[in-house]
Amino acid sequence: MTIIKNKAIFALAIGAFALHPFAGKAQTENKDWITKSNTYTKIFIDLDEKYSPEFGSSQGLAFYDTLISVPTEANNLAQRKEKESAVVQLKTAKQKETDLKIKQDLIY
């Protein structure tokens, strides 16, 4: 009798949750902002993979397996210049961005 009663309570709880007005909202919400936010993130990921291909290889990207980083002063300066440019690009994007979900992902 107790098992049947517990199953009935469980079934009612599941049914009540399914009828909740917000139960399916997360699944139907527009996710375009995630794609746009990911494009900003990709700027720094691409720089890491360009100047530290071992990083890309460690992430399972076979393209980078044959590449190695070259820690010369010229490469360090080039990387720094590109990162500074990326920071300026992200700051500009943050100022222009109207979607708060994307704006909060822009750290600069």
Side-chain angles (χ1 to χ4, degrees):
M1 181 74 171
T2 304
I3 294 174
I4 294 172
K5 185 177 179 182
N6 288 343
K7 285 183 180 181
I9 291 171
F10 179 74
L12 285 173
I14 295 297
F17 179 75
L19 295 176
H20 190 277
F22 300 110
K25 185 171 175 33
Q27 295 174 349
T28 60
E29 185 179 328
N30 186 350
K31 303 288 184 182
D32 292 340
W33 71 271
I34 296 171
T35 303
K36 188 172 181 183
S37 181
N38 286 347
T39 61
Y40 292 127
T41 303
K42 191 167 179 345
I43 293 169
F44 277 106
I45 292 173
D46 289 346
L47 281 175
D48 282 341
E49 291 171 349
K50 179 179 179 179
Y51 290 100
S52 301
E54 296 86 0
F55 169 75
S57 185
S58 73
Q59 298 300 309
L61 303 172
F63 173 79
Y64 297 97
D65 286 348
T66 59
L67 304 175
I68 59 168
S69 59
V70 182
T72 64
E73 186 63 25
N75 281 349
N76 289 340
L77 291 174
Q79 180 181 15
R80 182 181 182 126
K81 185 176 180 180
E82 285 191 51
K83 282 189 177 182
E84 288 172 352
S85 175
V87 167
V88 169
Q89 183 181 356
L90 293 179
K91 283 182 178 181
T92 303
K94 186 173 185 175
Q95 290 174 349
K96 293 179 182 178
E97 188 56 56
T98 56
D99 190 327
L100 293 177
K101 292 177 183 175
I102 298 171
K103 197 170 191 164
Q104 74 181 2
D105 286 352
L106 293 168
I107 58 173
Y108 295 102

